[in-house]
Amino acid sequence: MGAGHAHRLYRSGNSPVHRLPPHCKLAAVFAFVVVVVSTPREAVWAFGGYAVLLAGVAATARIPAGFVLRRLLIEIPFVAFAVLMPFVAEGERTEVLGLSLSVSGLWGAWNVLAKGTLGVAASVLLAGTTELRELLLGLQRLRLPAQLVQIASFMIRYGDVITDEMRRMSIARRSRGFEARGVRHWGVLAKTAGALFIRSYERGERVHLAMVSRGYTGTMPVIDDVTASRAQWAHAAALPAAALAVCLIGRTL
Amino acid sequence: MTSTPPPSLDVTGLAFAYPDGHQALFGVDLTVGRGERVALLGPNGAGKTTLVLHLNGILGGGVGTVRVAGLPVDKRNVAEIRRKVGIVFQDPDDQLFMPTVREDVAFGPAAAGLRGAELDERVRTALDRVGMAGFADRPPHHLSFGQRRRVAVATVLAMEPEILVLDEPSSNLDPASRRELADILRSLDVTVLMVTHDLPYALELCPRSVVLSEGVIAADGPTRDLLCDEELMRAHRLELPFGFDPRTVPAI
Ligand SMILES: Nc1ncnc2c1ncn2[C@@H]1O[C@H](COP(=O)(O)OP(=O)(O)O)[C@@H](O)[C@H]1O
Ligand SMILES: [Mg+2]
């Protein structure tokens, strides 16, 4: 795969997890998340089991704990929401350190925190071991609507081109003595955004012309067909299968 | 008749008006023989791009005919025409729309149904011909402008076209990239139609030139003869760069 589009979540490496075909990993993470979400919140120790499973995956992928923990920070808005729940929820109340908290609120908070953290951690591991380009191939392979995958790959390809155009326009603005300060200048910024939109739109038309000229008829030709062997599927299935086992044991106990 | 191949390009009586009523072409006649390199010269707004977009059937519906290697350009055989006519557009960022160089070069042949080892081989050969084989896995936006232009040429060569059409190939190139591209174009054994304002470049690469002006072919002849005809050049707003004398440039 191309060395180019290393996104910030990606950590290059050559572990068994990195080498798995992208669509196997996507399917495995999806199945894992389904199992986690459907686990009853009272099965507290099952969530511990899931965390251990993810730690095992991280170790196999040789991704350090710090890397995962730092990327878990995007979860913070949900944490804030969860912290509020015991205070605002209705129903039976209990005393913790002199505070009166709602019992159902506490369970709700735990539910959001545990499931959210596990889901985000699994996604961080997926992103950490799979390049963006590969993810798109995987999504294509899993029969995600082709249009969505195409839009996403054009966003990767033209993101830098458009950022560059934006930067040039900003330099041109500032060279003529304009600094955006306060509400009075929003009009100018809005006009820049409009110009940027028109330029992007025109580029889209020209790109479409170039695609049609090379035989594009509405579907992207298959260039890299990602395939997975039975063994690779089996390896990828290890995570959700183990999670399912933990879940079933948790329910019966 | 059977012994000589049909010309790569044969345009007869081509006239075209845009939907807004603006007439851009008024009866263009142009024949480009197989293996020829021809420069299409003309001032801004002469109708050069309009003509180019007729060659692979993007524009059509006017009067006249376009034939590529004997095959008429029309709705029924548009797929085959687009394989035969390779257009390199002016801005390589428009042409290179895939995430990596390799995938971009593979796009045309893959759209035509090529797969697997055959496809890889096509991509490798095309990149080799423009000296970019070492850049297959790079994203296009990490390349210099000159490299992007060369990859753009490779994306079209990979389709093994009957005729290569280049829109302003030397624009925005520094002198070294300009020369590299010239070397590449000269090394190809394919019919070339090169749209340009760059008169020295036309003289360097194309033994024959045609002047398109106000929607008709106003002149057709050896490039040096046209460039030396000062009256013709002035009449069609074609100016030689300061100090450039086509008489003193050695023949190609
Ligand atoms: N989409 C369009 N609609 C209407 N008129 C157009 C369009 N594109 C080009 N033209 C007009 O057709 C003429 C020829 O344009 P073009 O073929 O782009 O010229 P050139 O490439 O030689 O500079 C110009 O007068 C131009 O304004
Ligand atoms: Mg033009």
Side-chain angles (χ1 to χ4, degrees):
Chain A
M1 277 300 113
H5 291 284
H7 52 99
R8 256 166 302 164
L9 289 173
Y10 182 67
R11 182 182 170 89
S12 68
N14 191 24
S15 74
V17 183
H18 284 82
R19 283 196 301 270
L20 276 182
H23 55 298
C24 300
K25 286 191 265 188
L26 276 163
V29 167
F30 181 73
F32 175 78
V33 171
V34 168
V35 171
V36 169
V37 170
S38 59
T39 307
R41 57 192 184 184
E42 289 80 9
V44 176
W45 71 267
F47 294 97
Y50 300 146
V52 170
L53 289 177
L54 286 183
V57 173
T60 319
R62 290 192 276 281
I63 288 189
F67 180 90
V68 179
L69 293 178
R70 243 172 296 129
R71 278 154 188 80
L72 281 179
L73 293 180
I74 53 167
E75 218 202 342
I76 281 180
F78 299 97
V79 175
F81 170 70
V83 165
L84 285 176
M85 281 173 81
F87 293 98
V88 297
E90 303 287 316
E92 189 190 334
R93 301 191 85 78
T94 178
E95 288 276 318
V96 178
L97 302 173
L99 293 171
S100 161
L101 299 176
S102 148
V103 173
S104 68
L106 275 173
W107 276 116
W110 156 250
N111 195 32
V112 167
L113 268 185
K115 293 180 179 175
T117 308
L118 287 167
V120 173
S123 312
V124 166
L125 286 175
L126 172 67
T129 56
T130 320
E131 277 194 66
L132 217 47
R133 178 71 204 123
E134 275 188 286
L135 277 178
L136 290 177
L137 288 175
L139 289 172
Q140 197 170 4
R141 182 71 206 211
L142 292 175
R143 308 252 176 277
L144 204 78
Q147 257 70 18
L148 284 182
V149 179
Q150 277 181 48
I151 289 172
S153 47
F154 284 132
M155 275 164 61
I156 308 180
R157 168 63 184 90
Y158 287 101
D160 287 327
V161 174
I162 290 171
T163 328
D164 217 46
E165 230 148 61
M166 222 151 79
R167 200 177 42 85
R168 281 203 302 271
M169 284 162 84
S170 141
I171 290 175
R173 249 187 353 248
R174 277 183 286 145
S175 310
R176 281 178 273 164
F178 176 84
E179 287 291 341
R181 275 183 306 255
V183 183
R184 276 187 307 129
H185 291 142
W186 285 7
V188 177
L189 294 182
K191 283 198 194 83
T192 311
L196 189 68
F197 173 76
I198 289 171
R199 283 192 199 188
S200 306
Y201 181 80
E202 286 173 349
R203 176 170 309 274
E205 285 196 317
R206 293 198 307 270
V207 170
H208 183 249
L209 212 61
M211 293 174 70
V212 169
S213 295
R214 281 200 270 151
Y216 175 77
T217 51
T219 48
M220 290 306 253
V222 179
I223 294 170
D224 293 304
D225 202 8
V226 282
T227 51
S229 66
R230 211 170 280 252
Q232 285 171 317
W233 274 114
H235 286 144
L239 174 69
L244 188 63
V246 169
C247 176
L248 293 179
I249 297 169
R251 271 170 197 261
T252 51
L253 284 188
Chain B
M1 263 322 275
T2 47
S3 58
T4 50
S8 288
L9 182 65
D10 189 18
V11 180
T12 46
L14 187 66
F16 177 78
Y18 278 101
D20 68 354
H22 182 94
Q23 178 116 15
L25 300 176
F26 291 86
V28 171
D29 294 294
L30 173 65
T31 303
V32 180
R34 177 165 281 187
E36 260 195 298
R37 276 202 304 272
V38 177
L40 178 66
L41 312 175
N44 282 331
K48 302 184 295 294
T49 301
T50 308
L51 175 58
V52 165
L53 294 179
H54 274 84
L55 303 186
N56 72 350
I58 299 245
L59 290 180
V63 193
T65 59
V66 179
R67 281 168 185 278
V68 176
L71 189 70
V73 175
D74 62 30
K75 283 272 176 296
R76 267 174 300 120
N77 40 32
V78 77
E80 193 173 352
I81 287 292
R82 287 185 185 160
R83 276 199 294 281
K84 286 183 188 290
V85 181
I87 301 184
V88 179
F89 289 95
Q90 193 166 349
D91 185 346
D93 271 330
D94 298 340
Q95 181 111 22
L96 307 177
F97 45 78
M98 294 295 276
T100 63
V101 166
R102 187 178 56 79
E103 287 165 280
D104 218 303
V105 176
F107 184 89
L114 230 57
R115 294 282 180 279
E118 220 181 332
L119 181 61
D120 292 342
E121 181 55 34
R122 268 297 176 88
V123 172
R124 200 164 331 111
T125 315
L127 283 174
D128 258 339
R129 285 165 90 182
V130 300
M132 291 295 291
F135 295 82
D137 284 320
R138 299 277 286 277
H141 68 266
H142 285 180
L143 305 179
S144 76
F145 197 86
Q147 290 173 327
R148 268 181 274 171
R149 173 84 25 92
R150 273 149 66 189
V151 172
V153 172
T155 62
V156 168
L157 287 179
M159 295 159 63
E160 302 188 337
E162 165 82 23
I163 178 167
L164 185 62
V165 181
L166 302 133
D167 200 350
E168 301 280 351
S170 63
S171 63
N172 295 325
L173 292 186
D174 60 29
S177 315
R178 200 178 119 98
R179 185 189 44 72
E180 281 163 5
L181 185 67
D183 291 342
I184 289 164
L185 293 178
R186 219 180 282 112
S187 75
L188 302 175
D189 50 356
V190 57
T191 311
V192 172
L193 181 68
M194 185 173 107
V195 175
T196 191
H197 302 286
D198 186 339
L199 302 179
Y201 215 55
L203 181 59
E204 193 184 335
L205 282 169
C206 302
R208 175 183 160 209
S209 288
V210 297
V211 174
L212 182 70
S213 189
E214 294 177 358
V216 292
I217 300 289
D220 183 344
T223 305
R224 187 189 302 266
D225 293 358
L226 297 191
L227 298 198
C228 289
D229 186 340
E230 283 169 32
E231 209 167 316
L232 176 79
M233 292 287 105
R234 224 187 347 266
H236 301 294
R237 298 178 55 81
L238 292 166
E239 274 187 31
L240 294 166
F242 178 73
F244 178 81
D245 184 353
R247 272 165 281 257
T248 62
V249 175
I252 10 171

